Coordinates of all heavy atoms in Angstrom, one line a residue:
Chain B
R4 N -18.1 1.8 -14.8 CA -17.3 2.2 -13.7 C -17.5 1.1 -12.5 O -18.7 0.8 -12.3 CB -17.8 3.5 -13.1 CG -17.1 3.9 -11.8 CD -17.8 5.3 -11.2 NE -17.4 6.5 -11.9 CZ -16.1 7.0 -11.8 NH1 -15.3 6.6 -11.0 NH2 -16.0 8.1 -12.6
G15 N -18.5 -2.7 -27.1 CA -20.0 -2.7 -27.1 C -20.4 -4.2 -27.1 O -21.5 -4.5 -26.6
E18 N -21.5 -6.1 -23.9 CA -22.6 -5.8 -23.1 C -23.5 -6.9 -22.7 O -24.0 -7.0 -21.6 CB -23.5 -4.7 -23.7 CG -24.6 -4.2 -22.9 CD -25.3 -2.9 -23.5 OE1 -24.7 -2.3 -24.3 OE2 -26.4 -2.7 -23.0
L21 N -22.0 -8.9 -19.9 CA -22.1 -8.2 -18.7 C -23.5 -8.2 -18.1 O -23.6 -8.5 -16.9 CB -21.7 -6.6 -19.0 CG -21.6 -5.7 -17.9 CD1 -20.2 -5.9 -17.1 CD2 -21.6 -4.3 -18.4
E23 N -25.6 -10.5 -18.6 CA -25.7 -11.9 -18.1 C -25.3 -12.1 -16.7 O -25.9 -12.6 -15.8 CB -25.1 -12.9 -19.1 CG -25.5 -14.3 -18.9 CD -24.5 -15.1 -19.9 OE1 -24.3 -14.8 -21.0 OE2 -23.8 -16.1 -19.3
Q39 N -23.3 -17.4 -3.0 CA -23.7 -17.4 -4.4 C -23.5 -15.9 -4.8 O -23.0 -15.5 -6.0 CB -25.0 -17.8 -4.6 CG -25.4 -18.2 -6.0 CD -26.9 -18.7 -6.0 OE1 -27.3 -19.4 -5.2 NE2 -27.5 -18.3 -7.1
A45 N -18.3 -11.3 -7.9 CA -16.8 -11.3 -8.2 C -16.6 -11.6 -9.6 O -15.7 -11.0 -10.3 CB -16.1 -12.3 -7.3
R57 N -8.4 0.1 -18.7 CA -8.7 1.2 -17.7 C -8.7 2.6 -18.4 O -7.8 2.9 -19.3 CB -7.5 1.2 -16.7 CG -7.9 0.6 -15.5 CD -7.0 1.0 -14.3 NE -7.8 1.9 -13.4 CZ -8.1 1.6 -12.2 NH1 -7.8 0.3 -11.7 NH2 -8.9 2.4 -11.4
D61 N -7.0 11.2 -16.2 CA -7.3 12.6 -16.7 C -8.4 12.6 -17.5 O -8.7 13.7 -18.1 CB -5.9 13.3 -17.1 CG -5.4 12.4 -18.4 OD1 -6.0 11.4 -18.8 OD2 -4.5 13.1 -19.0
E87 N -37.8 1.2 -5.3 CA -38.5 1.2 -6.5 C -38.6 -0.1 -7.2 O -38.9 -0.1 -8.4 CB -37.8 2.3 -7.4 CG -37.5 3.5 -6.7 CD -36.6 4.4 -7.5 OE1 -36.8 4.6 -8.7 OE2 -35.7 5.0 -6.9
I90 N -36.0 -3.0 -11.8 CA -35.7 -2.5 -12.9 C -36.4 -1.0 -13.0 O -37.5 -0.9 -13.1 CB -36.2 -3.3 -14.1 CG1 -35.7 -4.6 -14.1 CG2 -35.9 -2.6 -15.5 CD1 -36.3 -5.7 -14.9
G92 N -37.2 2.5 -14.4 CA -37.6 3.1 -15.8 C -38.5 2.2 -16.5 O -38.1 1.3 -17.1

Side-chain angles (χ1 to χ4, degrees):
Chain B
R4 177 187 287 278
E18 186 170 342
L21 189 71
E23 190 189 311
Q39 198 182 320
R57 259 204 108 112
D61 61 356
E87 314 171 38
I90 300 162

